[in-house]
Amino acid sequence: RIAEGALKEVPVWCFHGSNDVVVPPKGSTQMVNACKKAGVDVKYTLYAHSPAPPGYGSYTGHASWMQAYTDEALWDWLLTKKSKT
């Protein structure tokens, strides 16, 4: 559950692999939907296929961060954000 107003000032971009065998994407999808309902500025990228983290071959789909960090759109988006404090 999203505390009323807790994230309204924090832009969020969530990344997840649809093939994640460690943490199913259902939780991220539910969180993103709750954030949207609460008025949070949230983006969600659900990759069709994410790799396993280096050294953890059986953790298929759990390294969506690898795809996110190589996506120029993430860095462009991040550089448009400013702290309000």
Side-chain angles (χ1 to χ4, degrees):
R1 205 153 110 173
I2 304 296
E4 186 62 36
L7 292 176
K8 283 194 177 184
E9 301 298 320
V10 180
V12 175
W13 192 345
C14 177
F15 297 88
H16 211 115
S18 64
N19 62 322
D20 192 330
V21 298
V22 179
V23 179
K26 180 181 177 182
S28 289
T29 302
Q30 290 173 335
M31 178 200 65
V32 166
N33 289 336
C35 284
K36 286 179 180 179
K37 186 175 178 181
V40 175
D41 176 16
V42 62
K43 292 179 65 141
Y44 185 34
T45 299
L46 182 62
Y47 294 113
H49 180 81
S50 289
Y56 294 88
S58 64
Y59 287 24
T60 302
H62 196 59
S64 59
W65 55 270
M66 291 173 68
Q67 291 162 291
Y69 289 173
T70 60
D71 186 343
E72 275 191 45
L74 169 61
W75 303 108
D76 292 341
W77 174 84
L78 187 62
L79 291 171
T80 67
K81 306 304 172 194
K82 296 179 181 175
S83 173
K84 295 187 181 183
T85 58

